[in-house]
């Protein structure tokens, strides 16, 4: 009897849970996934700088050569399985795509592209978003994180769109909390807030801006930050001085608050050329850029060591493959390019961003890796 009562209690307790239906997994939303490893998926002449798998309106396409076709999506616990096939993609025949968008974040895709008489191509991709640092022109982005706009324009990072600086004439030469200006295009009066030094635009009341090109200063002058405001100062006769600095030991990667891929790999940054992972960053030119700029930024400690000093003092690479060198280093050509920017009137921060990130041609192999050669 006691056993029967116990069984009755147990059955009564678990029955509702047993009878309840488990919720079905929800499929990940469509979008564009930029291929970081394994691309381009369709190797054809004129392929885009970086490939993408685009899912929308029940179809999937591949930027490098597969037109949108019907896609089959199946939601599972691990993610959304993507399947599609094409009779032909360029010269490739009987093309099949199978990939998984990892749940629950739905931000990464791993898969394989197969074709008749061709070796299978395995790839990894990440969801394209405004602000990820990759200018996804096919996805409607004109710029991203300040890169991609023509001279005289700035990137609206909230929309990844290039915008012209406001065409205004200033009625006062001193910086005030608000300055009344007149638009030359509409002849209407607009009240603008005080300019923010470093927003890339020479706002009303600002003589220059740290990230504007041109800076707004006269020849022989640079834009600098003085008492929290932009100001034009004389360009130093010599850019930077040699300072002593030793990089402290790196922190334990397991303690860093870094994002992770679905397989638990921690990474520093994702871009069209690849992924910088921790602790095993790929030995490629982008790693060399990260190692060099990491040394410079760690060195900066005003007023003892300013950006000019650290750019000049960074250890020089001794080979044409700096990503394989044991110690962090910067190519000598990089400081030469940085110095030329500074002597032309660029602020230290603009020269640093242009030399080491926007251009980065002073690093061997970067142009080829990003498809810009």
């Amino acid at each position: 009897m006691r056993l029967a009562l116990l069984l009755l209690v147990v059955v009564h307790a678990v029955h509702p849970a047993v009878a309840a239906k488990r919720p079905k997994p929800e499929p990940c939303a469509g979008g564009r996934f930029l291929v970081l490893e394994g691309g381009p998926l369709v190797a054809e002449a004129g392929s885009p700088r970086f490939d993408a798998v685009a899912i929308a309106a029940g179809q999937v396409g591949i930027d490098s050569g597969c037109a949108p076709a019907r896609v089959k999506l199946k939601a599972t616990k691990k993610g959304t399985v993507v399947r599609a096939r094409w009779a032909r993609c360029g010269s490739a025949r009987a093309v099949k795509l199978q990939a998984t968008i990892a749940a629950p974040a739905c931000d990464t895709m791993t898969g394989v592209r197969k074709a008749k008489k061709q070796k299978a191509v395995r790839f990894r991709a990440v969801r394209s978003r405004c602000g990820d640092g990759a200018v996804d022109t096919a996805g409607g982005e004109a710029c991203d994180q300040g890169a991609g706009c023509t001279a005289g324009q700035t990137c609206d990072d909230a929309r990844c769109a290039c915008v012209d600086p406001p065409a205004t004439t200033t009625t006062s030469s001193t910086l005030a909390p608000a300055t009344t200006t007149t638009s030359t295009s509409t002849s209407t009066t607009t009240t603008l807030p005080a300019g923010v030094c470093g927003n890339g635009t020479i706002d009303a009341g600002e003589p220059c801006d740290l990230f504007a090109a041109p800076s707004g200063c006269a020849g022989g002058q640079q834009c600098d930050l003085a008492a929290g405001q932009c100001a034009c100062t004389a360009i130093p006769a010599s850019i930077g001085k040699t300072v002593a600095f030793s990089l402290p030991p790196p922190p334990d990667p397991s303690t860093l608050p870094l994002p992770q891929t679905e397989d638990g790999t921690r990474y520093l940054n994702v871009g069209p050329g690849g992924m910088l992972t921790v602790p095993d960053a790929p030995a490629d030119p982008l790693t060399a850029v990260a190692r060099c700029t990491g040394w410079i930024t760690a060195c900066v400690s005003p007023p003892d060591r300013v950006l000019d000093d650290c750019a000049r003092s960074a250890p020089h690479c001794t080979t044409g493959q700096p990503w394989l060198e044991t110690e962090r280093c910067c190519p000598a050509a990089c400081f030469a390019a940085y110095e030329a920017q500074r002597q032309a009137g660029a602020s230290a921060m603009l020269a640093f961003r242009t030399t080491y990130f926007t251009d980065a041609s002073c690093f061997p192999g970067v142009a080829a890796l990003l498809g810009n050669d």
Side-chain angles (χ1 to χ4, degrees):
M1 178 65 72
R2 293 175 62 187
L3 179 60
L5 290 174
L6 178 61
L7 289 174
L8 181 62
V9 171
V10 171
V11 171
H12 180 75
V14 303
H15 178 71
V18 172
K21 293 184 179 179
R22 294 180 180 179
K24 292 184 178 180
E26 292 292 330
C28 293
R32 290 177 54 78
F33 291 82
L34 305 183
V35 178
L36 301 183
E37 299 175 14
L41 302 185
V42 183
E44 299 287 345
S47 292
R49 184 166 67 90
F50 52 86
D51 208 354
V53 177
I55 303 173
Q59 294 187 314
V60 60
I62 301 175
D63 282 9
S64 58
C66 290
R70 182 172 174 269
V71 63
K72 294 182 179 179
L73 302 175
K74 181 180 179 180
T76 69
K77 292 180 180 179
K78 293 184 178 181
T80 299
V81 178
V82 181
R83 290 188 177 92
R85 61 176 61 198
W86 294 262
R88 181 180 292 273
C89 292
S91 61
R93 294 181 296 161
V95 178
K96 296 180 181 179
L97 174 74
Q98 180 169 330
T100 300
I101 306 173
C106 294
D107 285 339
T108 60
M109 173 188 287
T110 56
V112 59
R113 190 279 292 163
K114 298 180 179 179
K116 188 175 182 179
K117 295 183 179 181
Q118 290 187 2
K119 185 178 179 180
V121 177
R122 298 190 178 277
F123 68 94
R124 180 194 296 269
V126 296
R127 185 180 293 275
S128 176
R129 284 193 175 92
C130 179
D132 59 10
V135 183
D136 185 8
T137 54
E141 295 181 358
C143 60
D144 200 305
Q145 292 294 302
C149 295
T150 58
Q153 291 187 314
T154 58
C155 185
D156 182 345
D157 289 331
R159 299 183 295 121
C160 284
C162 295
V163 295
D164 294 321
T168 58
T169 55
T170 301
T171 60
S172 173
S173 60
T174 59
L175 187 64
T179 306
T180 301
T181 59
T182 302
S183 170
T184 59
S185 58
T186 61
S187 299
T188 59
T189 301
T190 306
T191 301
L192 298 177
V196 178
C197 185
N199 65 359
T201 301
I202 304 174
D203 294 313
E206 284 186 335
C208 62
D209 190 88
L210 294 176
F211 287 110
S215 68
C217 296
Q221 292 188 318
Q222 63 177 352
C223 193
D224 206 350
L225 194 63
Q229 306 294 341
C230 278
C232 292
T233 61
I235 298 174
S238 177
I239 304 299
K241 64 181 183 296
T242 302
V243 294
F245 173 71
S246 296
L247 201 66
D252 181 358
S254 63
T255 65
L256 299 176
L258 297 174
Q260 298 183 23
T261 63
E262 67 273 13
D263 62 3
T265 302
R266 296 171 180 268
Y267 62 91
L268 295 172
N269 188 36
V270 172
M275 176 183 292
L276 296 182
T277 60
V278 176
D280 299 319
D284 63 15
L286 289 183
T287 303
V289 177
R291 285 160 59 90
C292 165
T293 55
W295 192 99
I296 294 174
T297 54
C299 164
V300 174
S301 179
D304 299 325
R305 301 188 301 268
V306 297
L307 186 54
D308 283 346
D309 301 335
C310 295
R312 174 177 285 278
S313 304
H316 284 178
C317 300
T318 58
T319 70
Q321 295 180 303
W323 57 92
L324 298 180
E325 298 196 21
T326 304
E327 302 297 331
R328 292 175 180 247
C329 64
C330 299
C334 289
F335 180 72
Y338 173 88
E339 188 174 40
Q341 291 266 346
R342 293 286 285 114
Q343 291 175 340
S347 69
M349 287 188 286
L350 177 59
F352 181 70
R353 185 175 72 178
T354 301
T355 300
Y356 296 89
F357 296 100
T358 306
D359 181 12
S361 60
C362 60
F363 286 89
V366 167
L369 183 64
L370 298 182
N372 296 333
D373 55 350

